[in-house]
Amino acid sequence: MKHVLITGCTRGLGLAMARAFAARGWTVSGCGTNPIRVDVLAAELGEKHRVVVADVSSEKEVAGFASDILSGPGAPDLLLNNAAIINRNAALWEIEADEFSKVIDVNLKGIHHVLREFLPAMIARGSGVVVNFSSGWGRSTAPEVAPYCCTKWGVEGLTQALAQELPEGLAAIALNPGIIDTDMLQSCFGKGASDFPNPAKWAATAVPFLEKLGPKDNGQALTAP
């Protein structure tokens, strides 16, 4: 049975993917920061899956999360670094230093924390696919979201370099999921976010696409269908 690990799995795209992968027979592991949402999703998915509270920006919490997962379902076949936040809409010079740092801590350093804990086990097994979620704003820019753009451009570069380091049998891919009606998009677009597909509709095509990724895709910058 295949094992997928999803960070930020209790809302938006992460929640939709967790449900879709579980429905397709995968074992799902994941983390979120809201204890109530974690408990609700864990109860919904059932005992063979593992969803826990962990903040990817915390090295200590990610280490605990990884210890739990690696001693249970084990190293993931598919690791989806999905957890991310966005800054409030504002010009770059109006963004407080703490807010900028938080976006960096979750969107970039969070990926590093997760990879440090899980990649050694995947490498030891000799197989696995890492998908680091980027954005259209990781390949273009827009005003008032400079910190977010900065991190997603960083995801693209980090992933390309990682792909060059991985041994044969593994892959690292940067994925632009497209434009989806999530809380994050609503914070930027307001009511206009409803013009785009909801996460469940997106997952219906994105999850089968993700299932097919493999070593042949290493280093690619892809966009979800």
Side-chain angles (χ1 to χ4, degrees), residues 5-52:
L5 186 146
I6 309 168
T7 66
C9 71
T10 60
R11 60 192 309 160
L13 300 190
L15 176 59
M17 289 191 292
R19 288 168 168 165
F21 273 109
R24 295 173 70 86
W26 287 63
T27 296
V28 176
S29 296
C31 64
T33 57
N34 184 308
I36 295 175
R37 288 179 179 270
V38 165
D39 288 346
V40 168
L41 180 58
E44 176 186 335
L45 295 182
E47 291 184 0
K48 79 171 186 177
H49 307 285
R50 185 74 176 139
V51 183
V52 302

Side-chain angles (χ1 to χ4, degrees), residues 169-205:
L170 281 84
I173 294 140
L175 182 75
N176 169 19
I179 306 176
I180 306 101
D181 182 11
T182 61
D183 292 346
M184 189 179 294
L185 192 71
Q186 290 165 18
S187 76
C188 303
F189 285 20
K191 293 181 180 179
S194 63
D195 294 337
F196 299 94
N198 64 43
K201 185 175 181 179
W202 173 86
T205 55

Side-chain angles (χ1 to χ4, degrees), residues 6-177:
I6 309 168
T7 66
C9 71
T10 60
R11 60 192 309 160
L13 300 190
L15 176 59
M17 289 191 292
R19 288 168 168 165
F21 273 109
R24 295 173 70 86
W26 287 63
T27 296
V28 176
S29 296
C31 64
T33 57
N34 184 308
I36 295 175
R37 288 179 179 270
V38 165
D39 288 346
V40 168
L41 180 58
E44 176 186 335
L45 295 182
E47 291 184 0
K48 79 171 186 177
H49 307 285
R50 185 74 176 139
V51 183
V52 302
V53 176
D55 181 347
V56 298
S57 70
S58 166
E59 184 178 4
K60 181 178 179 180
E61 290 188 28
V62 172
F65 168 54
S67 177
D68 185 6
I69 300 304
L70 293 174
S71 64
D77 299 290
L78 181 59
L79 194 167
L80 305 179
N81 274 309
N82 163 73
I85 61 173
I86 198 166
N87 58 282
R88 63 186 174 85
N89 282 20
L92 182 58
W93 59 88
E94 296 174 347
I95 301 291
E96 297 292 338
D98 286 350
E99 183 177 5
F100 197 116
S101 293
K102 183 62 176 176
V103 178
I104 295 284
D105 287 347
V106 174
N107 297 8
L108 268 180
K109 292 172 67 176
I111 289 178
H112 182 233
H113 293 155
V114 172
L115 294 179
R116 271 179 51 84
E117 296 296 335
F118 287 98
L119 264 181
M122 297 168 72
I123 291 169
R125 186 186 57 207
S127 64
V129 174
V130 171
V131 179
N132 295 326
F133 275 63
S134 179
S135 169
W137 285 337
R139 302 169 190 173
S140 64
T141 56
E144 300 191 330
V145 286
Y148 182 80
C149 292
C150 169
T151 61
K152 292 304 183 178
W153 279 72
V155 168
E156 295 279 339
L158 178 151
T159 307
Q160 289 289 324
L162 173 62
Q164 295 170 336
E165 298 168 347
L166 289 176
E168 186 176 352
L170 281 84
I173 294 140
L175 182 75
N176 169 19

